[in-house]
Amino acid sequence: MSDNQARLEAVEPQRSVIVQAPAGSGKTTLLVERYLGLLAAVDAPEEILAITFTRKAAAEMRHRVLHFLDPAYESDAPHEQAPLAKARAIRDKVAQWQLLENPQRLLIRTIDSFNHFLARSMPIASQLGPVPAPADNTQALYRQAARRVLGMLDDGGAIAQDISALLDWRDHRSQDIEALIAGMLGKRDQWLRALRVTGLPHREQFEKVLFSLVEEQLANMSIELSDALSTCDSNSEELLSLLEFAAQALIERNAEKKAEQKKPSAITIFASEPLLPDENPDSLPRWRALAEALLTTKDKFRAKVDIGIGFPPKTEQKDQFKTLLDGLKEHPDLESALANVRALPDPQYNDNEWSVLESLVQVLLRASVELDLVFAAQNQTDYTGLAAA
């Protein structure tokens, strides 16, 4: 399909389309032309809804639509002729609707603005009554709700035990827990609905999800590593041999010092498990060891190779590993993927982690209730509250 044909089909009101194109290719102009075409097919402009991500984008689109609808507007630009023709065809309707005098009738909004409009239009269905104004400083209200929950520590009961468990987890740094609760309240649309549908979390289900997420990341990681090795005149056997050499050298170095390092290098795992990591989450420790061998602490490919990662000076293996690293540096996607591996969680919870998570869920559920009370007292809300309503 030609570019011109694709543009013609994209603005046909009878078709549902997805337009994907780079910046500056005319996506907004297409959307404006489609909007003008729809105005010709409706009895009132309010029957058309356009939703954008930002208020700036909404204002820009509204400005462009009104620009074409202005009877005085003329243009010789080729890409503006089609929308201009559609605008001229509906001038009588535009005058009848008094759109130029009442541009607010064009429903071009952000999703938050549209939610506010719906809640204001249906006060009973939304259960908000007179719609509260979206708060300017939501963080202050989130923190107020968090403090109300933490203030229940001395009240006794189950919630006090859960708060105590969280404080123990963070060494009684209450400011950490307050910040965590406040941050999660700002994202409650991502977890509150799920908890209301599924109930309290089940460890087996959560661990299945965690395992599959880690497995997916490691599968992508395996592909990146294989592709990178194949294009830098190396192979997995050579890499594994070098890692085994480094692991043994680190173990011998520790033995010579007659004391283990305070934090033994993860690379030594290749001495006891001489296998390259694969997509199985059980191999996550070996992925972390590989990341330590290839990356600096700042998640960049190493510029130098030394005894610190198991390669003594004046050894053939040191030169081979340096050559391998130089080849891998041509693959920034591998560098990013290895950095991501370091941030992956273990694919299962230990008992202490699960206990903390259970307590956190209970505290967050109570915090969401307290937030509703804070909103009611202030006659304010946030856009998440409006969307839920």
Side-chain angles (χ1 to χ4, degrees):
M1 182 186 296
S2 68
D3 182 76
N4 186 56
Q5 181 62 30
R7 290 175 184 271
L8 289 174
E9 293 191 5
V11 298
E12 290 182 12
Q14 298 85 359
R15 296 176 64 93
S16 294
V17 299
I18 296 175
V19 177
Q20 294 176 302
S25 58
K27 295 189 299 296
T28 303
T29 300
L30 277 181
L31 189 56
V32 168
E33 184 178 347
R34 186 178 176 94
Y35 194 97
L36 291 168
L38 287 168
L39 283 174
V42 299
D43 296 323
E46 290 84 358
E47 295 178 39
I48 308 169
L49 172 65
I51 291 180
T52 69
F53 284 107
T54 66
R55 284 179 289 184
K56 180 180 179 181
E60 169 67 14
M61 184 178 170
R62 184 180 294 106
H63 172 76
R64 291 204 197 184
V65 170
L66 293 172
H67 209 48
F68 284 111
L69 293 178
D70 186 348
Y73 180 67
E74 298 288 344
S75 174
D76 294 327
H79 69 280
E80 290 194 344
Q81 296 312 302
L84 190 55
K86 291 182 178 180
R88 288 170 177 165
I90 58 171
R91 281 181 179 173
D92 289 344
K93 297 182 79 172
V94 170
Q96 180 185 347
W97 291 332
Q98 297 184 317
L99 269 185
L100 298 178
E101 294 79 13
N102 301 284
Q104 70 276 8
R105 296 191 67 182
L106 299 174
L107 295 186
I108 303 173
R109 301 172 178 269
T110 63
I111 185 63
D112 292 332
S113 173
F114 183 59
N115 285 335
H116 194 208
F117 166 77
L118 285 179
R120 193 173 64 245
S121 303
M122 301 180 292
I124 296 177
S126 68
Q127 300 182 0
L128 284 179
V131 179
D136 292 328
N137 185 5
T138 55
Q139 282 300 318
L141 299 179
Y142 298 154
R143 285 192 171 273
Q144 186 176 342
R147 291 188 191 115
R148 287 175 63 139
V149 174
L150 292 176
M152 299 174 184
L153 178 62
D154 299 326
D155 293 348
I159 194 65
Q161 295 177 17
D162 290 322
I163 296 169
S164 180
L166 292 183
L167 289 171
D168 287 343
W169 169 55
R170 298 303 296 168
D171 295 327
H172 288 266
R173 294 195 296 271
S174 59
Q175 68 274 17
D176 287 4
I177 303 301
E178 178 185 311
L180 173 61
I181 295 172
M184 291 296 288
L185 286 175
K187 302 174 183 176
R188 66 192 185 285
D189 56 317
Q190 299 177 22
W191 52 265
L192 190 55
R193 188 188 321 167
L195 289 176
R196 285 172 174 166
V197 171
T198 63
L200 297 181
H202 297 284
R203 183 170 180 172
E204 182 180 352
Q205 294 175 343
F206 266 48
E207 288 187 341
K208 281 182 179 179
V209 173
L210 195 59
F211 191 92
S212 65
L213 289 173
V214 172
E215 187 176 44
E216 179 182 353
Q217 292 295 314
L218 296 187
N220 294 334
M221 182 69 245
S222 295
I223 294 172
E224 291 285 353
L225 179 61
S226 178
D227 290 347
L229 288 174
S230 65
T231 58
C232 65
D233 297 327
S234 186
N235 55 57
S236 57
E237 289 79 8
E238 179 185 355
L239 174 59
L240 179 58
S241 175
L242 291 171
L243 291 171
E244 287 185 79
F245 173 86
Q248 193 60 44
L250 288 170
I251 292 173
E252 292 174 359
R253 184 179 182 223
N254 288 337
E256 289 174 1
K257 290 185 175 182
K258 298 181 181 179
E260 290 291 326
Q261 297 175 350
K262 291 182 179 179
K263 186 179 180 181
S265 172
I267 300 172
T268 58
I269 194 174
F270 290 108
S272 57
E273 297 183 31
L275 295 169
L276 280 183
D278 55 27
E279 62 189 52
N280 191 321
D282 290 339
S283 69
L284 188 56
R286 277 177 281 141
W287 278 114
R288 291 169 178 159
L290 179 61
E292 182 175 325
L294 297 176
L295 303 182
T296 66
T297 55
K298 294 184 179 179
D299 292 331
K300 299 297 181 182
F301 279 126
R302 292 183 179 276
K304 64 177 182 177
V305 176
D306 56 28
I307 187 59
I309 57 170
F311 294 98
K314 299 180 180 180
T315 58
E316 179 183 354
Q317 288 82 357
K318 175 182 177 179
D319 295 335
Q320 290 175 344
F321 196 71
K322 182 68 169 64
T323 300
L324 175 64
L325 267 173
D326 290 340
L328 294 179
K329 287 176 182 177
E330 302 298 321
H331 299 272
D333 289 343
L334 175 62
E335 183 181 71
S336 299
L338 283 168
N340 289 337
V341 160
R342 286 177 161 176
L344 286 177
D346 291 328
Q348 66 280 319
Y349 299 98
N350 61 43
D351 291 342
N352 182 60
E353 289 171 337
W354 184 252
S355 177
V356 169
L357 180 58
E358 286 185 311
S359 293
L360 179 60
V361 168
Q362 295 291 350
V363 171
L364 287 175
L365 287 172
R366 184 55 182 266
S368 70
V369 174
E370 294 301 319
L371 181 62
D372 288 340
L373 296 175
V374 169
F375 282 156
Q378 300 283 343
N379 193 31
Q380 292 183 309
T381 187
D382 61 358
Y383 287 116
T384 297
L386 286 172

PDB file of all heavy atoms in Angstrom, residues 229-259:
ATOM      1  N   LEU A 229      27.790 -13.015  20.674  1.00  0.00           N
ATOM      2  CA  LEU A 229      28.944 -13.904  20.526  1.00  0.00           C
ATOM      3  C   LEU A 229      29.150 -14.309  19.073  1.00  0.00           C
ATOM      4  O   LEU A 229      30.294 -14.426  18.598  1.00  0.00           O
ATOM      5  CB  LEU A 229      28.759 -15.153  21.393  1.00  0.00           C
ATOM      6  CG  LEU A 229      28.885 -14.962  22.908  1.00  0.00           C
ATOM      7  CD1 LEU A 229      28.526 -16.245  23.640  1.00  0.00           C
ATOM      8  CD2 LEU A 229      30.286 -14.494  23.295  1.00  0.00           C
ATOM      9  N   SER A 230      28.058 -14.514  18.344  1.00  0.00           N
ATOM     10  CA  SER A 230      28.177 -14.979  16.959  1.00  0.00           C
ATOM     11  C   SER A 230      28.746 -13.922  16.027  1.00  0.00           C
ATOM     12  O   SER A 230      29.286 -14.247  14.971  1.00  0.00           O
ATOM     13  CB  SER A 230      26.806 -15.424  16.446  1.00  0.00           C
ATOM     14  OG  SER A 230      25.907 -14.327  16.373  1.00  0.00           O
ATOM     15  N   THR A 231      28.635 -12.654  16.417  1.00  0.00           N
ATOM     16  CA  THR A 231      29.112 -11.573  15.544  1.00  0.00           C
ATOM     17  C   THR A 231      30.471 -11.024  15.950  1.00  0.00           C
ATOM     18  O   THR A 231      30.985 -10.105  15.306  1.00  0.00           O
ATOM     19  CB  THR A 231      28.096 -10.416  15.526  1.00  0.00           C
ATOM     20  OG1 THR A 231      27.888  -9.938  16.862  1.00  0.00           O
ATOM     21  CG2 THR A 231      26.769 -10.861  14.928  1.00  0.00           C
ATOM     22  N   CYS A 232      31.064 -11.562  17.030  1.00  0.00           N
ATOM     23  CA  CYS A 232      32.393 -11.061  17.427  1.00  0.00           C
ATOM     24  C   CYS A 232      33.433 -12.182  17.401  1.00  0.00           C
ATOM     25  O   CYS A 232      34.381 -12.192  18.201  1.00  0.00           O
ATOM     26  CB  CYS A 232      32.344 -10.387  18.795  1.00  0.00           C
ATOM     27  SG  CYS A 232      31.930 -11.464  20.167  1.00  0.00           S
ATOM     28  N   ASP A 233      33.212 -13.134  16.479  1.00  0.00           N
ATOM     29  CA  ASP A 233      34.172 -14.219  16.250  1.00  0.00           C
ATOM     30  C   ASP A 233      34.506 -14.978  17.525  1.00  0.00           C
ATOM     31  O   ASP A 233      35.662 -15.310  17.803  1.00  0.00           O
ATOM     32  CB  ASP A 233      35.467 -13.674  15.622  1.00  0.00           C
ATOM     33  CG  ASP A 233      35.210 -13.065  14.256  1.00  0.00           C
ATOM     34  OD1 ASP A 233      34.317 -13.578  13.545  1.00  0.00           O
ATOM     35  OD2 ASP A 233      35.887 -12.078  13.917  1.00  0.00           O
ATOM     36  N   SER A 234      33.467 -15.209  18.344  1.00  0.00           N
ATOM     37  CA  SER A 234      33.669 -15.969  19.563  1.00  0.00           C
ATOM     38  C   SER A 234      32.526 -16.980  19.683  1.00  0.00           C
ATOM     39  O   SER A 234      31.631 -17.038  18.846  1.00  0.00           O
ATOM     40  CB  SER A 234      33.708 -15.047  20.781  1.00  0.00           C
ATOM     41  OG  SER A 234      34.050 -15.767  21.945  1.00  0.00           O
ATOM     42  N   ASN A 235      32.558 -17.797  20.731  1.00  0.00           N
ATOM     43  CA  ASN A 235      31.481 -18.765  20.935  1.00  0.00           C
ATOM     44  C   ASN A 235      31.303 -19.021  22.425  1.00  0.00           C
ATOM     45  O   ASN A 235      32.119 -18.587  23.251  1.00  0.00           O
ATOM     46  CB  ASN A 235      31.767 -20.077  20.188  1.00  0.00           C
ATOM     47  CG  ASN A 235      33.119 -20.675  20.557  1.00  0.00           C
ATOM     48  OD1 ASN A 235      33.390 -20.944  21.723  1.00  0.00           O
ATOM     49  ND2 ASN A 235      33.978 -20.845  19.545  1.00  0.00           N
ATOM     50  N   SER A 236      30.252 -19.737  22.752  1.00  0.00           N
ATOM     51  CA  SER A 236      29.922 -19.964  24.150  1.00  0.00           C
ATOM     52  C   SER A 236      30.971 -20.818  24.854  1.00  0.00           C
ATOM     53  O   SER A 236      31.247 -20.618  26.038  1.00  0.00           O
ATOM     54  CB  SER A 236      28.533 -20.609  24.259  1.00  0.00           C
ATOM     55  OG  SER A 236      28.490 -21.822  23.522  1.00  0.00           O
ATOM     56  N   GLU A 237      31.574 -21.769  24.106  1.00  0.00           N
ATOM     57  CA  GLU A 237      32.592 -22.627  24.726  1.00  0.00           C
ATOM     58  C   GLU A 237      33.805 -21.797  25.169  1.00  0.00           C
ATOM     59  O   GLU A 237      34.363 -22.010  26.257  1.00  0.00           O
ATOM     60  CB  GLU A 237      33.042 -23.714  23.743  1.00  0.00           C
ATOM     61  CG  GLU A 237      32.004 -24.787  23.479  1.00  0.00           C
ATOM     62  CD  GLU A 237      30.939 -24.347  22.490  1.00  0.00           C
ATOM     63  OE1 GLU A 237      31.096 -23.249  21.883  1.00  0.00           O
ATOM     64  OE2 GLU A 237      29.929 -25.061  22.332  1.00  0.00           O
ATOM     65  N   GLU A 238      34.230 -20.855  24.329  1.00  0.00           N
ATOM     66  CA  GLU A 238      35.369 -20.003  24.679  1.00  0.00           C
ATOM     67  C   GLU A 238      35.045 -19.141  25.893  1.00  0.00           C
ATOM     68  O   GLU A 238      35.864 -19.011  26.821  1.00  0.00           O
ATOM     69  CB  GLU A 238      35.742 -19.119  23.496  1.00  0.00           C
ATOM     70  CG  GLU A 238      36.918 -18.183  23.801  1.00  0.00           C
ATOM     71  CD  GLU A 238      37.205 -17.218  22.663  1.00  0.00           C
ATOM     72  OE1 GLU A 238      36.556 -17.325  21.601  1.00  0.00           O
ATOM     73  OE2 GLU A 238      38.073 -16.344  22.856  1.00  0.00           O
ATOM     74  N   LEU A 239      33.853 -18.564  25.907  1.00  0.00           N
ATOM     75  CA  LEU A 239      33.449 -17.720  27.038  1.00  0.00           C
ATOM     76  C   LEU A 239      33.413 -18.532  28.323  1.00  0.00           C
ATOM     77  O   LEU A 239      33.924 -18.098  29.366  1.00  0.00           O
ATOM     78  CB  LEU A 239      32.084 -17.089  26.770  1.00  0.00           C
ATOM     79  CG  LEU A 239      31.466 -16.285  27.921  1.00  0.00           C
ATOM     80  CD1 LEU A 239      32.377 -15.136  28.337  1.00  0.00           C
ATOM     81  CD2 LEU A 239      30.092 -15.756  27.521  1.00  0.00           C
ATOM     82  N   LEU A 240      32.837 -19.731  28.257  1.00  0.00           N
ATOM     83  CA  LEU A 240      32.744 -20.568  29.458  1.00  0.00           C
ATOM     84  C   LEU A 240      34.135 -20.957  29.949  1.00  0.00           C
ATOM     85  O   LEU A 240      34.409 -20.941  31.162  1.00  0.00           O
ATOM     86  CB  LEU A 240      31.922 -21.820  29.162  1.00  0.00           C
ATOM     87  CG  LEU A 240      31.770 -22.807  30.326  1.00  0.00           C
ATOM     88  CD1 LEU A 240      31.116 -22.126  31.529  1.00  0.00           C
ATOM     89  CD2 LEU A 240      30.955 -24.013  29.895  1.00  0.00           C
ATOM     90  N   SER A 241      35.032 -21.282  29.028  1.00  0.00           N
ATOM     91  CA  SER A 241      36.400 -21.647  29.417  1.00  0.00           C
ATOM     92  C   SER A 241      37.086 -20.496  30.141  1.00  0.00           C
ATOM     93  O   SER A 241      37.769 -20.705  31.160  1.00  0.00           O
ATOM     94  CB  SER A 241      37.193 -22.043  28.172  1.00  0.00           C
ATOM     95  OG  SER A 241      38.542 -22.292  28.496  1.00  0.00           O
ATOM     96  N   LEU A 242      36.898 -19.282  29.664  1.00  0.00           N
ATOM     97  CA  LEU A 242      37.509 -18.114  30.304  1.00  0.00           C
ATOM     98  C   LEU A 242      36.907 -17.848  31.676  1.00  0.00           C
ATOM     99  O   LEU A 242      37.613 -17.476  32.626  1.00  0.00           O
ATOM    100  CB  LEU A 242      37.345 -16.898  29.398  1.00  0.00           C
ATOM    101  CG  LEU A 242      38.155 -16.927  28.094  1.00  0.00           C
ATOM    102  CD1 LEU A 242      37.733 -15.773  27.178  1.00  0.00           C
ATOM    103  CD2 LEU A 242      39.650 -16.841  28.390  1.00  0.00           C
ATOM    104  N   LEU A 243      35.604 -18.060  31.798  1.00  0.00           N
ATOM    105  CA  LEU A 243      34.954 -17.848  33.088  1.00  0.00           C
ATOM    106  C   LEU A 243      35.397 -18.895  34.105  1.00  0.00           C
ATOM    107  O   LEU A 243      35.589 -18.581  35.294  1.00  0.00           O
ATOM    108  CB  LEU A 243      33.434 -17.893  32.924  1.00  0.00           C
ATOM    109  CG  LEU A 243      32.817 -16.728  32.142  1.00  0.00           C
ATOM    110  CD1 LEU A 243      31.348 -16.991  31.848  1.00  0.00           C
ATOM    111  CD2 LEU A 243      32.971 -15.411  32.915  1.00  0.00           C
ATOM    112  N   GLU A 244      35.565 -20.134  33.668  1.00  0.00           N
ATOM    113  CA  GLU A 244      36.079 -21.183  34.566  1.00  0.00           C
ATOM    114  C   GLU A 244      37.487 -20.831  35.027  1.00  0.00           C
ATOM    115  O   GLU A 244      37.835 -21.013  36.212  1.00  0.00           O
ATOM    116  CB  GLU A 244      36.079 -22.532  33.853  1.00  0.00           C
ATOM    117  CG  GLU A 244      34.708 -23.140  33.649  1.00  0.00           C
ATOM    118  CD  GLU A 244      34.805 -24.530  33.042  1.00  0.00           C
ATOM    119  OE1 GLU A 244      35.096 -25.483  33.792  1.00  0.00           O
ATOM    120  OE2 GLU A 244      34.614 -24.644  31.813  1.00  0.00           O
ATOM    121  N   PHE A 245      38.314 -20.351  34.111  1.00  0.00           N
ATOM    122  CA  PHE A 245      39.681 -19.951  34.465  1.00  0.00           C
ATOM    123  C   PHE A 245      39.646 -18.841  35.512  1.00  0.00           C
ATOM    124  O   PHE A 245      40.379 -18.891  36.518  1.00  0.00           O
ATOM    125  CB  PHE A 245      40.414 -19.468  33.211  1.00  0.00           C
ATOM    126  CG  PHE A 245      41.766 -18.885  33.499  1.00  0.00           C
ATOM    127  CD1 PHE A 245      42.888 -19.694  33.597  1.00  0.00           C
ATOM    128  CD2 PHE A 245      41.926 -17.505  33.678  1.00  0.00           C
ATOM    129  CE1 PHE A 245      44.145 -19.153  33.869  1.00  0.00           C
ATOM    130  CE2 PHE A 245      43.172 -16.958  33.956  1.00  0.00           C
ATOM    131  CZ  PHE A 245      44.282 -17.784  34.058  1.00  0.00           C
ATOM    132  N   ALA A 246      38.804 -17.833  35.290  1.00  0.00           N
ATOM    133  CA  ALA A 246      38.706 -16.707  36.224  1.00  0.00           C
ATOM    134  C   ALA A 246      38.218 -17.170  37.589  1.00  0.00           C
ATOM    135  O   ALA A 246      38.734 -16.736  38.632  1.00  0.00           O
ATOM    136  CB  ALA A 246      37.774 -15.647  35.650  1.00  0.00           C
ATOM    137  N   ALA A 247      37.234 -18.060  37.605  1.00  0.00           N
ATOM    138  CA  ALA A 247      36.695 -18.557  38.873  1.00  0.00           C
ATOM    139  C   ALA A 247      37.772 -19.285  39.671  1.00  0.00           C
ATOM    140  O   ALA A 247      37.921 -19.066  40.886  1.00  0.00           O
ATOM    141  CB  ALA A 247      35.509 -19.483  38.592  1.00  0.00           C
ATOM    142  N   GLN A 248      38.529 -20.149  39.004  1.00  0.00           N
ATOM    143  CA  GLN A 248      39.576 -20.896  39.701  1.00  0.00           C
ATOM    144  C   GLN A 248      40.684 -19.971  40.190  1.00  0.00           C
ATOM    145  O   GLN A 248      41.216 -20.137  41.298  1.00  0.00           O
ATOM    146  CB  GLN A 248      40.156 -21.965  38.753  1.00  0.00           C
ATOM    147  CG  GLN A 248      41.025 -22.989  39.459  1.00  0.00           C
ATOM    148  CD  GLN A 248      40.262 -23.753  40.517  1.00  0.00           C
ATOM    149  OE1 GLN A 248      39.133 -24.186  40.300  1.00  0.00           O
ATOM    150  NE2 GLN A 248      40.876 -23.908  41.694  1.00  0.00           N
ATOM    151  N   ALA A 249      41.019 -18.956  39.383  1.00  0.00           N
ATOM    152  CA  ALA A 249      42.062 -18.008  39.786  1.00  0.00           C
ATOM    153  C   ALA A 249      41.626 -17.221  41.022  1.00  0.00           C
ATOM    154  O   ALA A 249      42.450 -16.964  41.922  1.00  0.00           O
ATOM    155  CB  ALA A 249      42.360 -17.058  38.627  1.00  0.00           C
ATOM    156  N   LEU A 250      40.375 -16.853  41.091  1.00  0.00           N
ATOM    157  CA  LEU A 250      39.873 -16.122  42.258  1.00  0.00           C
ATOM    158  C   LEU A 250      39.884 -16.996  43.504  1.00  0.00           C
ATOM    159  O   LEU A 250      40.220 -16.536  44.605  1.00  0.00           O
ATOM    160  CB  LEU A 250      38.456 -15.610  41.979  1.00  0.00           C
ATOM    161  CG  LEU A 250      38.341 -14.457  40.987  1.00  0.00           C
ATOM    162  CD1 LEU A 250      36.883 -14.209  40.602  1.00  0.00           C
ATOM    163  CD2 LEU A 250      38.949 -13.169  41.569  1.00  0.00           C
ATOM    164  N   ILE A 251      39.532 -18.278  43.340  1.00  0.00           N
ATOM    165  CA  ILE A 251      39.544 -19.194  44.485  1.00  0.00           C
ATOM    166  C   ILE A 251      40.970 -19.390  44.994  1.00  0.00           C
ATOM    167  O   ILE A 251      41.230 -19.359  46.213  1.00  0.00           O
ATOM    168  CB  ILE A 251      38.914 -20.548  44.078  1.00  0.00           C
ATOM    169  CG1 ILE A 251      37.409 -20.362  43.824  1.00  0.00           C
ATOM    170  CG2 ILE A 251      39.148 -21.587  45.172  1.00  0.00           C
ATOM    171  CD1 ILE A 251      36.740 -21.591  43.255  1.00  0.00           C
ATOM    172  N   GLU A 252      41.909 -19.574  44.075  1.00  0.00           N
ATOM    173  CA  GLU A 252      43.311 -19.760  44.478  1.00  0.00           C
ATOM    174  C   GLU A 252      43.865 -18.498  45.133  1.00  0.00           C
ATOM    175  O   GLU A 252      44.652 -18.584  46.089  1.00  0.00           O
ATOM    176  CB  GLU A 252      44.142 -20.129  43.248  1.00  0.00           C
ATOM    177  CG  GLU A 252      43.808 -21.503  42.693  1.00  0.00           C
ATOM    178  CD  GLU A 252      44.527 -21.797  41.396  1.00  0.00           C
ATOM    179  OE1 GLU A 252      45.283 -20.898  40.925  1.00  0.00           O
ATOM    180  OE2 GLU A 252      44.347 -22.895  40.844  1.00  0.00           O
ATOM    181  N   ARG A 253      43.456 -17.347  44.621  1.00  0.00           N
ATOM    182  CA  ARG A 253      43.928 -16.089  45.206  1.00  0.00           C
ATOM    183  C   ARG A 253      43.434 -15.950  46.642  1.00  0.00           C
ATOM    184  O   ARG A 253      44.183 -15.530  47.542  1.00  0.00           O
ATOM    185  CB  ARG A 253      43.427 -14.923  44.358  1.00  0.00           C
ATOM    186  CG  ARG A 253      43.936 -13.560  44.810  1.00  0.00           C
ATOM    187  CD  ARG A 253      43.406 -12.488  43.883  1.00  0.00           C
ATOM    188  NE  ARG A 253      43.899 -11.181  44.259  1.00  0.00           N
ATOM    189  CZ  ARG A 253      43.169 -10.084  44.302  1.00  0.00           C
ATOM    190  NH1 ARG A 253      41.881 -10.143  43.986  1.00  0.00           N
ATOM    191  NH2 ARG A 253      43.688  -8.933  44.641  1.00  0.00           N
ATOM    192  N   ASN A 254      42.182 -16.330  46.887  1.00  0.00           N
ATOM    193  CA  ASN A 254      41.647 -16.278  48.251  1.00  0.00           C
ATOM    194  C   ASN A 254      42.392 -17.249  49.160  1.00  0.00           C
ATOM    195  O   ASN A 254      42.672 -16.945  50.325  1.00  0.00           O
ATOM    196  CB  ASN A 254      40.152 -16.618  48.246  1.00  0.00           C
ATOM    197  CG  ASN A 254      39.308 -15.504  47.646  1.00  0.00           C
ATOM    198  OD1 ASN A 254      39.733 -14.355  47.618  1.00  0.00           O
ATOM    199  ND2 ASN A 254      38.130 -15.853  47.156  1.00  0.00           N
ATOM    200  N   ALA A 255      42.704 -18.421  48.618  1.00  0.00           N
ATOM    201  CA  ALA A 255      43.408 -19.423  49.418  1.00  0.00           C
ATOM    202  C   ALA A 255      44.808 -18.949  49.789  1.00  0.00           C
ATOM    203  O   ALA A 255      45.280 -19.176  50.902  1.00  0.00           O
ATOM    204  CB  ALA A 255      43.481 -20.743  48.646  1.00  0.00           C
ATOM    205  N   GLU A 256      45.474 -18.285  48.868  1.00  0.00           N
ATOM    206  CA  GLU A 256      46.821 -17.762  49.142  1.00  0.00           C
ATOM    207  C   GLU A 256      46.786 -16.713  50.238  1.00  0.00           C
ATOM    208  O   GLU A 256      47.713 -16.593  51.038  1.00  0.00           O
ATOM    209  CB  GLU A 256      47.416 -17.166  47.871  1.00  0.00           C
ATOM    210  CG  GLU A 256      47.797 -18.210  46.821  1.00  0.00           C
ATOM    211  CD  GLU A 256      48.240 -17.566  45.516  1.00  0.00           C
ATOM    212  OE1 GLU A 256      48.264 -16.313  45.466  1.00  0.00           O
ATOM    213  OE2 GLU A 256      48.560 -18.298  44.567  1.00  0.00           O
ATOM    214  N   LYS A 257      45.685 -15.953  50.279  1.00  0.00           N
ATOM    215  CA  LYS A 257      45.566 -14.931  51.321  1.00  0.00           C
ATOM    216  C   LYS A 257      45.124 -15.534  52.652  1.00  0.00           C
ATOM    217  O   LYS A 257      45.050 -14.824  53.664  1.00  0.00           O
ATOM    218  CB  LYS A 257      44.556 -13.869  50.882  1.00  0.00           C
ATOM    219  CG  LYS A 257      45.064 -13.003  49.742  1.00  0.00           C
ATOM    220  CD  LYS A 257      44.054 -11.898  49.443  1.00  0.00           C
ATOM    221  CE  LYS A 257      44.604 -10.931  48.387  1.00  0.00           C
ATOM    222  NZ  LYS A 257      43.662  -9.812  48.120  1.00  0.00           N
ATOM    223  N   LYS A 258      44.820 -16.845  52.625  1.00  0.00           N
ATOM    224  CA  LYS A 258      44.401 -17.570  53.839  1.00  0.00           C
ATOM    225  C   LYS A 258      43.158 -16.966  54.474  1.00  0.00           C
ATOM    226  O   LYS A 258      42.930 -17.088  55.664  1.00  0.00           O
ATOM    227  CB  LYS A 258      45.540 -17.602  54.860  1.00  0.00           C
ATOM    228  CG  LYS A 258      46.777 -18.324  54.365  1.00  0.00           C
ATOM    229  CD  LYS A 258      47.859 -18.341  55.423  1.00  0.00           C
ATOM    230  CE  LYS A 258      49.097 -19.058  54.897  1.00  0.00           C
ATOM    231  NZ  LYS A 258      50.193 -19.080  55.913  1.00  0.00           N
ATOM    232  N   ALA A 259      42.370 -16.298  53.680  1.00  0.00           N
ATOM    233  CA  ALA A 259      41.119 -15.722  54.205  1.00  0.00           C
ATOM    234  C   ALA A 259      40.220 -15.408  53.028  1.00  0.00           C
ATOM    235  O   ALA A 259      40.683 -14.980  51.975  1.00  0.00           O
ATOM    236  CB  ALA A 259      41.387 -14.454  55.015  1.00  0.00           C
TER     237      ALA A 259
END
